[in-house]
Amino acid sequence: MKTNKFLILLLTVLAFTSCKDNKAQNQATEETHEVAETETTASTSSADVSGSYITEDYTKRGEGYDWVAVLVNQTSDNDINVKVRSRADKKKPTCTFDTKAYKKSDGVYYANVSGKTVLFTFKDNKLNITTENKADEAALYFYCSGGATFAGDYSKLDGDLDTSQIDKTAYAKILMLQDIGFNISAVKKGGETELTVNAFGLNENHGNPQVTTFKGDVVDAQVEDLDSDGSPELVVFTDHNGKGNVVAFSTLKKNSMIPVYFPPVSENSKISEGYNGGDEFSLIETTLGQKFPVGGKTRQVSYKLKNGEAGKAFEVTNISEY
């Protein structure tokens, strides 16, 4: 009898322990699964922040109030195009600014503006614009008149902006390097874009301003001394129906400004084979880079600025695929 009681007691303890261990194991598995789901959700979260973001005075525009809007276009998971525009029907625009911003973290993008880092933070249909360092806030006053700045808070607009009031400037940017500045502006005329580049700081001011027209839109503009001669070049990236192009200008010994020739893709069969747009351009030190998708791969083209008989031109230095 004592033996039977001992066996029954032993079996009861083993059953209880097994049940408890299984319960703990299942609970741990569920917790691990929940953590994994949370991590996956966080890592793949990439909300589209495209839209128009407005200041509070936009709702009072019928009463004559001035207002500023930020137009955001998400071009990929990792970058956005930002346009700051304001009311322009009754007076000159308060703020005009364009930049490309790159993803820093979920809902936060950054851009380099006059050597300062500017942050664009999106949350709950709100946008906040500020400099990463508070001491750099003065950099954002440069693009507005009357002591204004485009830093601050904006709310996402449900609908379209009032096109009868907004500034019609298609693109605007100011860049400086080596004591030479470029005031870049573009407007739409007759279905084309008219690009005007005013250089300031030139010794003799020859060839200034430069005006050119093309089909498509300005995507971005960058400045660099591409041939390391102590006088900078301006490179403007454009897009027409998904196909990119380059419009560039060089300053000669800081005296004058001339156009720079960029060879179209169609001129080089090694580049054009399988080409169907989707270009991305960038300046990496003194090299102009172009890349685009081709047959499941990416084709990358490198260009260097060279002196030619008729002026300066970009020449292909390398073509690769990966």
Side-chain angles (χ1 to χ4, degrees), residues 34 95 102 110 201 209 218 251 279 286 302 314 318:
E34 287 174 359
C95 298
Y102 302 90
Y110 72 94
V218 176
T251 55
D279 309 76
T286 60
S302 298
F314 285 105
N318 187 58

Side-chain angles (χ1 to χ4, degrees), residues 262-263 271 286-288 290 301-305 314-317:
F262 178 77
I271 301 175
T286 60
T287 299
L288 169 63
Q290 176 189 21
V301 186
S302 298
Y303 302 82
K304 285 288 189 180
L305 186 64
F314 285 105
E315 291 184 5
V316 177
T317 57

Side-chain angles (χ1 to χ4, degrees), residues 17 38 45 71 80 97 110-111 135 150 216 227 250 274 280 298 301:
T17 303
T38 303
S45 175
L71 288 69
I80 58 176
F97 173 79
Y110 72 94
F150 64 84
D227 51 5
S250 180
E280 291 183 28
T298 297
V301 186

Side-chain angles (χ1 to χ4, degrees), residues 136-158:
D136 297 334
E137 288 179 348
L140 304 187
Y141 285 81
F142 184 77
Y143 303 92
C144 300
S145 61
T149 174
F150 64 84
D153 297 314
Y154 300 80
S155 300
K156 192 171 186 179
L157 177 67
D158 185 15

Side-chain angles (χ1 to χ4, degrees), residues 2 15 119 171 179 224 229 237 261 300:
K2 289 183 179 181
L119 299 179
Y171 187 85
D179 299 322
E224 185 58 77
D229 65 350
F237 306 127
Y261 179 74
Q300 186 165 290

